[in-house]
Amino acid sequence: MKVKHIYKYLLIVLIAVIMGACTSTEADAKFDENPLERVNARKKELNDLLLSSAEGWKLVYYTDNSQLGGWTHLFKFLPDGKVDMASDFDADTGVYRSQYELQLGSTVSLVFTTANRIHLLSQSDNYPTAALLGKGYLGDFQFFYYGQENGEIIFKTNRDFKEIRFVKATAQDWTDLEKNTISSDNISSKLYRLLDINDGAATQHYDFDVNYDARFAVANSLETGVSKGINIAYQLTPSGITVKPEIEVKGQKLSNFIYDAATENFVAVGTNGVSATIKYTFTPPVLTDDYKIALAGQPASVFGYYSDDTTADAPTNTKQFKDALAKANELLGNGDEITSVQIYFNHATLGNLIYYTFAKRAAFIHRIDVVEDAAGKKIILKHKSGVVPAFLVDFEKYLLDPTGVYVKKEAFKLSYPNLIYTFTSAGSSFRITAYKL
């Protein structure tokens, strides 16, 4: 075949291919749509999806599982741009109505436009750890739509472009949400927790240093010479907690810890004797000599808790402390409140004392004696002088716990460079956080 004939043949074939492509219905459908039409089609697709689930959608939102756990949110989307929402962020699992929009940009996004439960994770002034001061819980309320898979809606967050998924909710999900708060109470009712991991032949022991507000724990080995630590984020479930990532033991992945009411432990069970147990103790897993700062012969020291300062928001303050303080303020009445609790050791003229200030009344000084419990590595605070007002009696029974008080110098800081100390009742879950002044 001559060269000119070859070129002619190729030209005919090329024209045929182009003509065939131009008559493709699929191609026409794609290229006849302008970008706005394609985005609008995606918007309709997402809107139809959100309205398609009879019981709405569920999101277990882990904003950053390297330092925070997960919070369950339930959504029921309504045709008029309204949404009913509930969450287990705190004890309030009620259903609240607010508004949402499907907004157009480079892609379609779901935006919760008026305040509701999802926004609790994005408030910068509400933070569970000192490291998240001014950052909150790192949550978002605008989610970019990226399609669906296996009946789940895929989004990516506006804040950090992390993937999240909405799964279809059930009527049981709405009913059971309140049970998550019972699980929260069960795990946070004990101040100190331990983690035992059994591989079927031997058990390894860890402390379980948990921040219940963050739903996050760090487990460090209590075995001599072993420095292995485990970071554990968790979410609440009606029957206990689920951890993320899973704890791997002998090739088995344990994640679902069921609460055992008889022992008050949380237990994850595998096969062939493999298990993991979160246990409780009133004694700190690791005892230190930090308490000695309060003993006679040491330099004078002062520790202060302030109701209008970051010590009030410190995650190391326990619920029992907060409840005791709230009760004292209620008994005060007349809109008065305790504004500070200051503990003095080895004051030059007054010795040891607890100094209270108030919003409306004069300060109260309670002089105390300090007794060392060397074996227990704690101190015992005893009444010396001063008539304790009735509204302080219940509050002080924790600070003057006859079984003692543990003193710990914390590793974190709050708003100021001052060292942070905690004082914990040895016989309860009462713990107060204070600056070293």
Side-chain angles (χ1 to χ4, degrees):
M1 185 182 289
K2 294 183 179 180
V3 172
K4 66 178 183 178
H5 291 152
I6 293 173
Y7 283 137
K8 182 178 180 180
Y9 175 76
L10 291 174
L11 180 60
I12 292 170
V13 171
L14 180 60
I15 291 171
V17 170
I18 293 172
M19 292 299 290
C22 289
T23 59
S24 168
T25 304
E26 182 179 351
D28 285 347
K30 288 184 180 294
F31 291 101
D32 283 350
E33 288 183 346
N34 61 45
L36 179 59
E37 289 173 331
R38 289 198 294 272
V39 172
N40 275 323
R42 292 284 277 181
K43 177 180 178 181
K44 182 180 185 307
E45 176 183 301
L46 176 56
N47 184 68
D48 291 345
L49 270 175
L50 293 176
L51 298 175
S52 68
S53 177
E55 298 296 337
W57 299 88
K58 179 169 75 171
L59 165 67
V60 180
Y61 193 5
Y62 282 84
T63 57
D64 180 357
N65 70 339
S66 69
Q67 58 182 324
L68 293 164
W71 285 265
T72 297
H73 290 77
L74 298 173
F75 311 97
K76 181 67 181 295
F77 294 92
L78 305 173
D80 58 355
K82 301 285 196 301
V83 58
D84 290 337
M85 189 185 310
S87 86
D88 68 354
F89 180 83
D90 51 28
D92 183 0
T93 57
V95 179
Y96 295 90
R97 181 164 293 184
S98 60
Q99 294 179 307
Y100 75 95
E101 292 179 3
L102 302 185
Q103 296 182 356
L104 301 183
S106 57
T107 185
V108 179
S109 63
L110 167 64
V111 185
F112 296 100
T113 53
T114 57
N116 208 322
R117 306 294 288 165
I118 193 74
H119 295 83
L120 294 171
L121 294 176
S122 62
Q123 295 172 350
S124 61
D125 60 347
N126 181 24
Y127 53 93
T129 71
L132 293 173
L133 175 65
K135 300 177 182 178
Y137 284 78
L138 304 179
D140 210 337
F141 52 87
Q142 179 174 11
F143 306 128
F144 297 114
Y145 175 51
Y146 272 79
Q148 54 181 310
E149 183 179 70
N150 299 324
E152 300 176 352
I153 308 178
I154 305 170
F155 294 98
K156 290 189 178 179
T157 60
N158 177 51
R159 181 170 185 161
D160 49 20
F161 219 57
K162 288 185 177 178
E163 182 180 294
I164 61 170
R165 293 192 176 217
F166 283 20
V167 301
K168 285 189 176 181
T170 66
Q172 197 65 43
D173 288 327
W174 292 89
T175 301
D176 283 351
L177 190 64
E178 187 177 5
K179 295 179 182 178
N180 288 11
T181 65
I182 298 174
S183 294
S184 177
D185 291 340
N186 287 337
I187 193 162
S188 63
S189 62
K190 301 295 183 291
L191 182 56
Y192 300 113
R193 291 273 178 185
L194 303 172
L195 172 65
D196 285 353
I197 298 178
N198 189 336
D199 65 6
T203 301
Q204 291 184 317
H205 304 282
Y206 297 79
D207 70 358
F208 193 74
D209 187 7
V210 58
N211 181 325
Y212 299 112
D213 290 336
R215 298 186 186 173
F216 189 84
V218 178
N220 292 303
S221 176
L222 296 173
E223 312 292 335
T224 303
V226 178
S227 59
K228 181 182 178 182
I230 307 171
N231 289 340
I232 300 172
Y234 70 87
Q235 69 193 62
L236 302 172
T237 70
S239 59
I241 65 171
T242 298
V243 302
K244 186 177 182 178
E246 302 95 337
I247 298 174
E248 187 165 347
V249 187
K250 283 288 184 71
Q252 300 183 41
K253 294 183 177 180
L254 306 178
S255 62
N256 193 21
F257 286 75
I258 305 300
Y259 179 66
D260 178 16
T263 62
E264 299 186 73
N265 295 335
F266 290 78
V267 185
V269 178
T271 59
N272 300 320
V274 168
S275 67
T277 303
I278 300 172
K279 308 165 69 173
Y280 78 88
T281 174
F282 282 118
T283 303
V286 179
L287 295 173
T288 72
D289 288 332
D290 293 343
Y291 76 97
K292 290 187 176 181
I293 196 171
L295 300 182
Q298 295 296 316
S301 56
V302 186
F303 301 87
Y305 163 89
Y306 301 91
S307 64
D308 62 349
D309 195 82
T310 46
T311 48
D313 299 323
T316 38
N317 293 322
T318 58
K319 182 178 184 299
Q320 192 160 17
F321 159 71
K322 295 175 184 177
D323 289 347
L325 186 65
K327 182 178 180 181
N329 287 336
E330 181 182 355
L331 292 173
L332 262 169
N334 194 33
D336 203 357
E337 66 174 353
I338 298 171
T339 55
S340 73
V341 181
Q342 300 168 45
I343 307 173
Y344 288 72
F345 297 115
N346 302 309
H347 186 277
T349 56
L350 297 176
N352 305 306
L353 62 122
I354 306 173
Y355 182 80
Y356 297 90
T357 62
F358 306 91
K360 296 184 177 181
R361 67 173 64 198
F364 169 69
I365 295 175
H366 185 187
R367 297 187 64 184
I368 56 176
D369 287 322
V370 178
V371 178
E372 179 183 13
D373 178 357
K377 290 186 178 291
K378 57 184 184 287
I379 55 175
I380 301 172
L381 306 182
K382 294 188 174 184
H383 169 81
K384 183 175 184 179
S385 66
V387 178
V388 179
F391 64 83
L392 276 178
V393 170
D394 278 348
F395 183 84
E396 284 219 326
K397 73 181 181 184
Y398 299 110
L399 286 175
L400 274 65
D401 186 336
T403 62
V405 171
Y406 294 106
V407 181
K408 182 182 179 183
K409 180 171 68 174
E410 301 290 348
F412 65 86
K413 300 290 180 63
L414 293 172
S415 297
Y416 306 104
N418 303 58
L419 293 174
I420 300 297
Y421 276 73
T422 53
F423 297 83
T424 305
S425 163
S428 71
S429 296
F430 177 99
R431 181 172 61 195
I432 181 174
T433 305
Y435 285 116
K436 186 177 185 297
L437 304 177

